[in-house]
Amino acid sequence: MEQNKSGESYILEVKNLSVSYGHVNALKGVDIKVKAGEIVVLIGANGAGKTSLLETILGVNEIKNGSIHFQGREISGDSADKIVRAGIFLVPEGRGVFSSMTVTDNLLLGAHHNLKGAKSKMDYVFSSFPILKDRKNQVAGTLSGGERQMLAIARALMSSPKMILVDEPSIGLAPKIVNDIFDILKNLNSEGYSILLSEQNVYKALKCAHRGYVMETGNIVLGAASEDLLNNPEIRKAYLGA
Amino acid sequence: MEVFIAQVINGLSLGSIYVLLVTGFNLLLLVAMIIHFSFPIVVVFSMYIAWIVLGLTGNNLFLGISAGIVSAILLNIITAPMFQHIMKKRGEVDINSTMVLSMGLGMIITDFLSHSINKGFPIAFPDALTGRAEGAFLKIGIISMSRGAFLALIVGIIFVLGLFWILYKTKQGRAFRAIAEDPNGAKLVGLPILKTGFQSYALTGFLGGSTAILMAILLGSASPGLGDQLGHKVLAVSIIAGLGNLKGGLIVGLSLGILEALVQGYWTGTWSNAVAFVIMLIAILVKPKGLFGMKL
């Protein structure tokens, strides 16, 4: 809450967060902050801890040390379903849609904790993603990769989240579809959703985000505005191949 | 033709019971992630509880039926923490340890029934419940049904429809199916895993208790060995349909009931089990993963 005193309001604050799986330290004292209305991207190689960080924020992993505050309230130690009800929703890596269930069922799973407004939310989601409306009675297993990614994002919207965590949305998608997905994320952000994104497509992610953090082996090694990261010679060398 | 129709109707009653048992077993497998092949033994236990309460209350049907249903729910919920303890530790379907737990539970119940109730002799349910004494309730040509059998058929079909309505049209059913397909993914979309697992214990308990009453009406009697016999059949049906395949269990369960009834109608009742198992044996040899595919 001290940030509020200085006039800035952070929707998410992660302080000194450590997580281990057995003997492996996946996160070693991570600090990140996301302002309300921001897109922030986590960049880093495979195994840097991006997915661990997102899943720990969602309440899936046991926290060894540190704290997570969402809208000024501590959520560390809460269960995933409680955190989802508080307003955070994850779009998992590899989409995580239920392929034997219909598009409609997948969307309704996103609204599991608040089915009352589901009908109007579904109309809203279908107006943003008309392709999903056309496919609403199909099982998700019959969708293309891009459609599944849209479904996973639409499912997140069904929960009326305040913050969306998006894990590697571009993985395995054709370049044109990747552009579409980033446009969707930018649009959602302009509608007021705060977004924390993990991405290996560093150039596109930084173009889309306000700020970025660089992760290496469970640590944040750098955090700065996107333009600064794009112009940083070391980042260009390590992640942009320039 | 009339024999055929009569036996198909009888088969539907029996088949609905198989469907309820198999779906209960599959739900526990898919949602609670345990192999509970002693589930039918729990059901037979509830038949005994209903019988005892009927005897104590001078055949008060309401109390007897309620006791049967409530005992199955309670037994399921009481044993749930043991199973959930294993599941929490492993986080996946752990066939070995839950199977041992289920087997142990089944043996204890069967032993208890064969030592402590009615000196181990088979129990017979009163006519007040089964309606046997009233003669035919429905009679068309040679098709005749007692009131109990008619009721069991209608209630069985309503329960099967209701169960599949819950699974495919309600919020809880949707959560059941999501956890069944991908427990980890279900966690990531914020479904309460343990709570939903617990609900599946309660629902299968209710199903088990209701099935117990239907069986009491339809069979008119029970013995300590009945649970084992049903357990084998339920396991066979669910494997032949494809483990965890709910719709497959519906089709194979009903078919098995009709098949057994037809064998009884055209040949002899004493061979119906053997014929059923021979056909199931052929099915599993031709399609080792089940007729409709495993969903696990």
Side-chain angles (χ1 to χ4, degrees):
Chain A
M1 296 305 279
E2 56 193 285
Q3 280 73 21
N4 288 340
K5 283 181 212 154
S6 60
E8 284 189 287
S9 107
Y10 290 104
I11 188 164
L12 182 78
E13 287 174 79
V14 175
K15 281 184 206 156
N16 193 29
L17 187 69
S18 297
V19 165
S20 21
Y21 308 124
H23 296 294
V24 183
N25 296 319
L27 299 177
K28 309 168 192 165
V30 167
D31 288 278
I32 64 161
K33 289 171 181 175
V34 179
K35 277 184 239 172
E38 244 186 346
I39 302 187
V40 172
V41 62
L42 302 166
I43 57 186
N46 262 336
K50 305 188 297 294
T51 298
S52 292
L53 177 54
L54 294 182
E55 292 191 352
T56 306
I57 293 170
L58 193 75
V60 173
N61 300 326
E62 204 171 311
I63 295 172
K64 198 169 121 194
N65 219 331
S67 69
I68 305 168
H69 285 77
F70 177 62
Q71 297 187 307
R73 205 172 55 78
E74 177 152 12
I75 57 167
S76 0
D78 286 356
S79 62
D81 63 287
K82 195 169 174 197
I83 290 173
V84 165
R85 274 180 279 145
I88 300 182
F89 207 93
L90 173 72
V91 179
E93 182 177 351
R95 345 295 178 216
V97 297
F98 297 90
S99 48
S100 74
M101 298 172 73
T102 62
V103 167
T104 304
D105 270 343
N106 268 283
L107 290 173
L108 288 173
L109 279 174
H112 185 80
H113 296 292
N114 184 15
L115 275 176
K116 272 194 198 124
K119 183 81 191 66
S120 64
K121 269 180 273 174
M122 186 117 49
D123 290 341
Y124 157 68
V125 160
F126 280 153
S127 69
S128 318
F129 302 98
I131 189 82
L132 294 181
K133 190 177 184 183
D134 297 340
R135 307 230 188 288
K136 66 179 177 181
N137 294 323
Q138 269 175 248
V139 294
T142 63
L143 302 183
S144 72
E147 287 163 355
R148 279 185 212 204
Q149 187 66 66
M150 283 183 210
L151 177 57
I153 294 172
R155 180 179 64 188
L157 297 179
M158 291 294 291
S159 75
S160 305
K162 298 177 181 89
M163 173 160 211
I164 307 176
L165 313 175
V166 190
D167 197 2
E168 307 265 7
S170 77
I171 215 162
L173 296 181
K176 191 199 163 297
I177 310 288
V178 173
N179 290 338
D180 293 346
I181 297 295
F182 278 113
D183 285 342
I184 289 168
L185 294 179
K186 265 191 273 186
N187 281 336
L188 289 178
N189 179 246
S190 65
E191 286 178 34
Y193 294 102
S194 310
I195 295 174
L196 179 60
L197 173 72
S198 108
E199 191 47 71
Q200 295 196 47
N201 193 329
V202 173
Y203 180 76
K204 284 196 173 131
L206 285 174
K207 278 286 178 192
C208 154
H210 299 102
R211 285 190 302 120
Y213 290 98
V214 181
M215 283 192 89
E216 272 172 22
T217 58
N219 287 304
I220 300 285
V221 292
L222 189 59
S226 294
E227 307 90 78
D228 297 342
L229 289 175
L230 275 169
N231 294 325
N232 182 315
E234 280 185 34
I235 300 290
R236 293 180 71 88
K237 203 169 148 216
Y239 296 101
L240 297 169
Chain B
M1 192 61 200
E2 278 186 343
V3 176
F4 182 79
I5 294 172
Q7 289 313 100
V8 167
I9 292 174
N10 284 336
L12 280 176
S13 314
L14 191 60
S16 326
I17 284 175
Y18 291 148
V19 172
L20 292 172
L21 289 174
V22 169
T23 309
F25 173 82
N26 274 336
L27 269 183
L28 288 171
L29 176 66
L30 292 168
V31 185
M33 292 183 251
I34 60 170
I35 297 256
H36 197 355
F37 62 43
S38 296
F39 175 60
I41 299 181
V42 172
V43 172
V44 171
F45 177 76
S46 296
M47 290 174 80
Y48 271 78
I49 296 291
W51 179 80
I52 291 172
V53 171
L54 284 171
L56 290 175
T57 59
N59 293 339
N60 184 321
L61 289 185
F62 175 77
L63 287 179
I65 290 172
S66 308
I69 294 176
V70 169
S71 67
I73 298 177
L74 282 181
L75 194 59
N76 246 17
I77 288 181
I78 289 168
T79 51
M82 288 194 292
F83 286 117
Q84 289 202 331
H85 179 72
I86 295 177
M87 177 193 143
K88 221 172 163 179
K89 284 221 156 140
R90 300 286 298 251
E92 58 189 23
V93 179
D94 181 357
I95 294 178
N96 301 332
S97 34
T98 60
M99 198 168 70
V100 170
L101 204 57
S102 170
M103 213 158 64
L105 193 68
M107 280 179 179
I108 293 169
I109 293 176
T110 305
D111 260 13
F112 174 69
L113 297 181
S114 46
H115 293 134
S116 308
I117 299 183
N118 208 25
K119 300 194 182 77
F121 293 118
I123 54 169
F125 288 92
D127 292 342
L129 181 72
T130 61
R132 270 174 306 203
E134 296 166 23
F137 167 78
L138 196 75
K139 202 164 166 59
I140 309 165
I142 64 157
I143 304 168
S144 85
M145 284 181 105
S146 67
R147 180 176 55 87
F150 180 73
L151 210 67
L153 174 66
I154 301 298
V155 173
I157 289 174
I158 290 175
F159 268 55
V160 169
L161 290 175
L163 176 61
F164 276 78
W165 181 81
I166 289 175
L167 286 173
Y168 285 89
K169 296 286 174 204
T170 68
K171 170 180 162 172
Q172 256 61 43
R174 198 157 45 234
F176 286 164
R177 285 181 292 131
I179 293 174
E181 182 179 328
D182 178 4
N184 198 42
K187 209 172 181 182
L188 293 182
V189 295
L191 295 177
I193 304 290
L194 284 180
K195 187 177 143 202
T196 310
F198 201 71
Q199 287 167 342
S200 77
Y201 284 95
L203 176 64
T204 47
F206 176 73
L207 276 180
S210 314
T211 313
I213 303 303
L214 292 181
M215 290 200 315
I217 294 173
L218 208 60
L219 304 177
S221 64
S223 62
L226 179 63
D228 270 335
Q229 205 189 336
L230 280 172
H232 294 155
K233 248 180 216 175
V234 165
L235 194 63
V237 168
S238 63
I239 289 174
I240 281 159
L243 266 182
N245 192 320
L246 297 168
K247 287 177 182 162
L250 173 69
I251 296 167
V252 175
L254 283 179
S255 310
L256 178 66
I258 294 171
L259 175 76
E260 284 187 15
L262 288 178
V263 172
Q264 281 168 10
Y266 286 104
W267 194 8
T268 162
T270 44
W271 282 97
S272 66
N273 276 336
V275 172
F277 272 98
V278 166
I279 290 182
M280 292 200 277
L281 194 70
I282 294 169
I284 209 70
L285 284 173
V286 176
K287 286 219 156 191
K289 286 199 163 178
L291 296 175
F292 300 89
M294 274 202 253
K295 290 273 172 73
L296 205 62

